[in-house]
Amino acid sequence: VSSAPSKHAIVMPQANPPPPIVQPSVVDLVIDFDGTITWNGTNIPDRPTLENYLQSAALQEPQPEIHLNPNKLVKYSYVALVLAEAQRLGVVKIGLVGNQQFME
């Protein structure tokens, strides 16, 4: 009986490390008291421009977190319009920041 090692070695599968977790970027979307909208400090002059920004965000992987910060004096209809557009265009990571005025 030979004590030589076997020719049939067991090959163990190599573990693939999980891909690194990509943290989503954060977008500060501000609605001023008069309905003026800014996206990370950039003025959004009209609704088509807002739609372009939201659609671009919806297509990113991962989607950015959009922090919607309405001025305490803005009419809720402006906020509702932005939320409706975001939903229509497929934005899923959007949340109100500083929305205490809408809870009264």
Side-chain angles (χ1 to χ4, degrees):
V1 177
S2 169
S3 63
S6 170
K7 293 181 184 180
H8 303 290
I10 297 176
V11 178
M12 299 297 292
Q14 296 295 319
N16 291 332
I21 295 174
V22 178
Q23 294 296 323
S25 60
V26 174
V27 172
D28 290 316
L29 184 58
V30 176
I31 305 176
D32 210 348
F33 71 94
D34 60 357
T36 301
I37 299 172
T38 58
W39 182 283
N40 281 338
T42 300
N43 187 47
I44 305 295
D46 51 33
R47 188 170 173 177
T49 304
L50 174 63
E51 289 177 2
N52 287 338
Y53 274 82
L54 290 170
Q55 189 168 38
S56 175
L59 295 174
Q60 291 179 32
E61 188 58 45
Q63 278 194 19
E65 291 181 6
I66 299 177
H67 295 181
L68 179 57
N69 188 357
N71 181 287
K72 67 180 182 177
L73 299 176
V74 71
K75 292 181 182 177
Y76 184 73
S77 60
Y78 290 112
V79 178
L81 173 77
V82 172
L83 290 171
E85 286 297 310
Q87 181 181 22
R88 182 179 69 83
L89 294 168
V91 174
V92 295
K93 293 183 177 181
I94 186 166
L96 286 168
V97 177
N99 60 344
Q100 293 80 9
Q101 73 269 23
F102 300 123
M103 300 176 112
E104 296 173 354

